[in-house]
Amino acid sequence: MLDILDQDIQYLSGVGPKKKEMLQKELGIGKVSDLLEYYPYKYVDRSRIYHVDELRSDMPFVQIKGRILSFEEFETTPRKKRLVAHFYDGTGVADLVWFSGIKYASQQYKEGVEYIVFGKPSVYGGRYQFAHPDIDKAADLQLSQMGMQPYYMTTEKMKKAGLTSRSIEKITKSMLEKMSEPLRETLPPFIANRLRLVSRDTAMRNVHYPKNAEDLRNARFRLKFEELFYVQLNILRYASDQRRKYRGYVFQHIGNIFNGFYRDHLPFPLTDAQKRVMREIRQDLGSGRQMNRLLQGDVGSGKTLVALMTMLIALDNGYQACIMAPTEILAEQHLATIREFLGDMDIRVELLTGIVKGKKRKAVLEGLIDGSVNILVGTHAVIEDTVQFLRLGLVVVDEQHRFGVAQRAKLWNKSQNPPHVLVMTATPIPRTLAMTIYGDLDVSVIDQLPPGRKPVVTLHKYNNQTTSLYSGIRQQIKEGRQVYIVFPLIKESEKLDLQNLEEGFETLKEVFPEYRFSKVHGKMKAAEKEEEMQKFVKGETQILVATTVIEVGVNVPNASVMVILNAERFGLSQLHQLRGRVGRGASQSYCILVSKPQLSDETRKRINIMCDTNDGFLIAEADLKLRGPGDLEGTQQSGMAFDLKIADIARDGQIVQLAREEAQKIIDGDPNCDKTENSMLWQRLAALRKTNINWSAIS
Ligand code: ADP
Ligand code: MG
């Protein structure tokens, strides 16, 4: 017999071919199970009726019960009308107001009939009013049974076709009523009992049709837990399988290279945080397991040095190491930094990017195969199949949260065993998100900046306050500093983007005729970009005008001002990254966020957060809350997380943690997946993997 969950929704009452097609096209709902997992996004308590004399304007949606006394029509302008119905419930009068659909409303609703009016109260002209309320005849509603009313997300197209939240509610309700058999359980009883979770059947029914707030809370908790639990089980299962399948190189030896560097070349003492992280890394490298470690540290916290010292350990043990950056500029900068750190040490460091061609490229490739190249610095070009190493023991991936499981797996055919992997990111990822995106990685954090750094002062200016902005810039340049001016990237139109930059550039040249400029944008050839950047790095130019290509990693300690134009167009983490380009030297640095004067609440919040704090973790948390995790880079590409339908990584951090712990217990207790009590878990996981993940991307 066909499982009810697999049945086509077309056969549900209230769904014909037309609605079915719309649901499929707009929301991807085709089967009963899809509809079940199409959860409401909010609920409104309809179990209680309020009195007019207890209304307050800060109340959410509420309902009142009473009768219309009379209608009045006003002409606000010759072409605009407003219909008002005075509504009395025995305790006071509230106004029901329509700005459109006036004819319909005045015909539909009658004086003297008892109605239940549902809407959000606000105050107008000293009276409470409800604009465009939902109105039902009191006789038609059985309020005691209504409980919490669910609201489902619908699209414009659906609304136009009359497929509203209410219609979905009705379809879902009749479907649930038709399902006489309880839904199959998807969590084993020992977990459900221990955590006091309601059954899947109860949870599903109550999430769509809760009688009260408590039922709803329990239902949502159960469903969120289940969702996050399977994500964690998937990640941990994968990590554990990898570990069992592959051995890691053992780098136990700390030899002349590392010690020589530490003794003679390290220009400054390590911070305590750097020392702690080095200890964690050394432990991994000596353990016989392959290291998969995420190194988080705010911009400027000194990750590059940690990466270099880790590479030196690989060298001491007779292996080669490689460091990958997301852009050519950054790769070149790493090359320069590393060579400078190493000074006269006898270590061959080479660069491999898209612009290294011909003879030069051939020499590097040969050096990798014969083992004479010790450290390779490169871009993604490094993971191409043509690049082969003699003994690759360690790969460092810098500033790259787009480097998921699949890419890591690609590295493995470059050496006998999988090389150790250290992923570094300056975009601090909140713990709960890291657990999900990088759930198979161990995490180290550098939570301390090198001494002597002055926090960057961040100011907000409107774009009509350029006089003070320009004089500030002039002041800093007179003191010998350099300035970044960043133009926003307009995603919709690269052409506009460039035009924006060019026009702005011309204006700036007129404002500052006495200074020299560098200009960098994404459309330039790599060599050109490099030349412009170098002029700025060497101090030949005072102002660098750029689109966001400078976002990651550029290190010019003498630059002390970061001006971000149209700051309202940037996300928080981007702003934070950009700000991280200054504050690297000893002098006081500034970040100036320039925006238009009218800002939405959310944008204003973003800008205020930037002005209030330099703490990347606080900013990342705020970002996650403001934007939701779906937007964050990496969540899609990670390839590990299922589509989350009800849980929210930003808000459900504690459930993520709980799910993680429970999943870990299962993995630890059943490494071979052969315990009977867990068989349901492994079956369910296999089914989810089939429908939710593109595993072919992972070799
Ligand atoms: P990020 O973590 O952003 O990659 P970098 O590695 O580029 O940071 O380091 C930023 C700057 O701080 C560099 O100029 C680096 O040489 C310097 N630095 C790193 N570690 C220390 C330290 N322990 N003491 C002083 N300066 C340091
Ligand atoms: Mg860096």
Side-chain angles (χ1 to χ4, degrees), residues 303-304 334 398-399 424 553 584:
K303 293 185 295 296
T304 315
H334 275 321
D398 186 18
E399 307 281 6
M424 307 199 293
R584 306 190 144 224

Side-chain angles (χ1 to χ4, degrees), residues 392-584:
L392 179 62
L394 167 77
V395 176
V396 180
V397 183
D398 186 18
E399 307 281 6
Q400 183 58 288
H401 19 279
R402 297 161 209 106
F403 201 75
V405 182
Q407 281 86 3
R408 266 183 272 147
K410 240 184 149 179
L411 294 169
W412 295 2
N413 58 22
K414 299 205 179 293
S415 55
Q416 225 173 344
N417 285 333
H420 295 294
V421 176
L422 183 67
V423 178
M424 307 199 293
T425 175
T427 309
I429 302 171
R431 245 181 84 69
T432 56
L433 189 61
M435 261 188 240
T436 309
I437 301 179
Y438 290 122
D440 60 326
L441 299 182
D442 300 309
V443 178
S444 289
V445 181
I446 307 186
D447 49 6
Q448 183 182 25
L449 293 180
R453 296 275 171 83
K454 291 199 185 77
V456 178
V457 172
T458 304
L459 304 169
H460 179 201
K461 282 195 185 299
Y462 295 124
N463 52 15
N464 52 13
Q465 301 173 303
T466 44
T467 320
S468 67
L469 174 67
Y470 293 153
S471 73
I473 291 176
R474 198 163 267 125
Q475 180 70 31
Q476 286 289 308
I477 298 181
K478 273 197 193 129
E479 288 176 20
R481 305 277 102 77
Q482 289 163 284
V483 176
Y484 293 104
I485 300 180
V486 176
F487 285 78
L489 200 95
I490 303 161
K491 276 220 185 73
E492 304 85 65
S493 161
E494 278 184 35
K495 227 171 160 185
L496 250 175
D497 197 21
L498 212 54
Q499 191 187 331
N500 192 15
L501 176 79
E502 296 294 354
E503 280 172 17
F505 181 52
E506 289 310 313
T507 311
L508 286 169
K509 277 204 299 202
E510 279 165 33
V511 176
F512 300 109
E514 69 273 40
Y515 300 134
R516 277 193 305 270
F517 287 80
S518 284
K519 184 173 71 175
V520 203
H521 57 77
K523 283 267 131 189
M524 285 162 85
K525 290 221 176 69
E528 248 181 296
K529 233 190 291 191
E530 172 63 15
E531 202 185 307
E532 288 288 305
M533 284 300 302
Q534 279 309 332
K535 283 197 278 185
F536 190 66
V537 173
K538 288 188 193 129
E540 292 167 12
T541 56
Q542 289 82 39
I543 301 178
L544 175 71
V545 176
T547 54
T548 41
V549 288
I550 59 159
E551 190 178 331
V552 273
V554 177
N555 192 18
V556 183
N558 190 49
S560 66
V561 183
M562 167 63 66
V563 179
I564 304 173
L565 300 175
N566 295 113
E568 70 271 17
R569 297 225 187 108
F570 292 87
L572 263 180
S573 68
Q574 241 180 339
L575 291 173
H576 182 62
Q577 284 288 323
L578 286 168
R579 179 169 61 184
R581 298 309 107 209
V582 295
R584 306 190 144 224

Side-chain angles (χ1 to χ4, degrees), residues 96-353:
L96 317 181
V97 187
W98 291 267
F99 302 98
S100 60
I102 288 179
K103 204 166 150 209
Y104 174 84
S106 61
Q107 284 169 357
Q108 182 75 10
Y109 307 118
K110 304 269 183 294
E111 291 165 21
V113 178
E114 193 177 39
Y115 290 119
I116 290 183
V117 167
F118 177 71
K120 171 149 184 33
S122 60
V123 177
Y124 182 80
R127 221 182 235 184
Y128 282 98
Q129 71 166 29
F130 292 82
H132 292 256
D134 282 0
I135 300 181
D136 293 287
K137 277 193 193 143
D140 294 349
L141 283 187
Q142 289 169 293
L143 281 174
S144 62
Q145 284 175 24
M146 284 201 68
M148 313 279 288
Q149 185 174 14
Y151 277 73
Y152 297 88
M153 210 69 91
T154 55
T155 64
E156 272 317 302
K157 266 203 190 131
M158 292 171 63
K159 279 183 200 126
K160 276 200 191 118
L163 196 57
T164 59
S165 170
R166 275 280 179 99
S167 347
I168 297 185
E169 183 188 340
K170 280 189 191 130
I171 299 167
T172 310
K173 190 185 172 207
S174 82
M175 169 183 76
L176 284 167
E177 276 167 3
K178 228 181 76 185
M179 274 193 237
S180 46
E181 299 261 306
L183 282 167
R184 224 181 306 119
E185 193 42 65
T186 42
L187 287 172
F190 66 91
I191 294 184
N193 292 341
R194 182 149 36 89
L195 302 179
R196 305 212 173 113
L197 304 174
V198 297
S199 72
R200 181 169 171 84
D201 187 70
T202 305
M204 275 300 180
R205 289 177 198 273
N206 285 348
V207 82
H208 289 289
Y209 218 65
K211 281 180 217 61
N212 55 52
E214 195 188 338
D215 282 0
L216 177 61
R217 215 169 23 246
N218 290 334
R220 283 170 61 83
F221 184 80
R222 143 86 209 209
L223 294 170
K224 285 178 178 189
F225 173 82
E226 173 176 349
E227 200 169 69
L228 294 168
F229 171 77
Y230 276 105
V231 168
Q232 291 302 327
L233 195 66
N234 182 41
I235 292 169
L236 294 174
R237 175 85 267 157
Y238 175 78
S240 145
D241 288 348
Q242 285 317 99
R243 256 176 225 146
R244 277 144 34 99
K245 208 153 55 178
Y246 301 98
R247 286 195 49 73
Y249 296 119
V250 183
F251 293 171
Q252 251 164 355
H253 186 59
I254 303 293
N256 287 340
I257 301 179
F258 183 92
N259 288 330
F261 174 77
Y262 202 90
R263 201 180 48 233
D264 304 329
H265 293 264
L266 193 60
F268 29 64
L270 296 181
T271 62
D272 288 343
Q274 283 170 321
K275 281 186 198 157
R276 189 188 66 238
V277 168
M278 278 315 296
R279 273 198 301 274
E280 289 166 353
I281 289 173
R282 277 174 60 174
Q283 205 155 37
D284 278 4
L285 295 178
S287 72
R289 284 208 286 126
Q290 181 216 7
M291 174 171 78
N292 269 298
R293 189 165 280 281
L294 175 69
L295 175 57
Q296 292 190 11
D298 215 339
V299 275
S301 60
K303 293 185 295 296
T304 315
L305 185 57
V306 168
L308 176 60
M309 297 201 308
T310 308
M311 292 195 280
L312 297 184
I313 296 177
L315 268 49
D316 262 337
N317 287 271
Y319 284 84
Q320 296 162 292
C322 150
I323 178 165
M324 281 167 58
T327 66
E328 277 162 6
I329 294 180
L330 267 177
E332 284 165 32
Q333 191 143 35
H334 275 321
L335 178 76
T337 309
I338 289 172
R339 281 191 173 153
E340 196 184 311
F341 268 131
L342 294 178
D344 60 0
M345 288 180 78
D346 184 21
I347 295 173
R348 185 168 167 206
V349 188
E350 295 288 355
L351 179 76
L352 193 73
T353 67

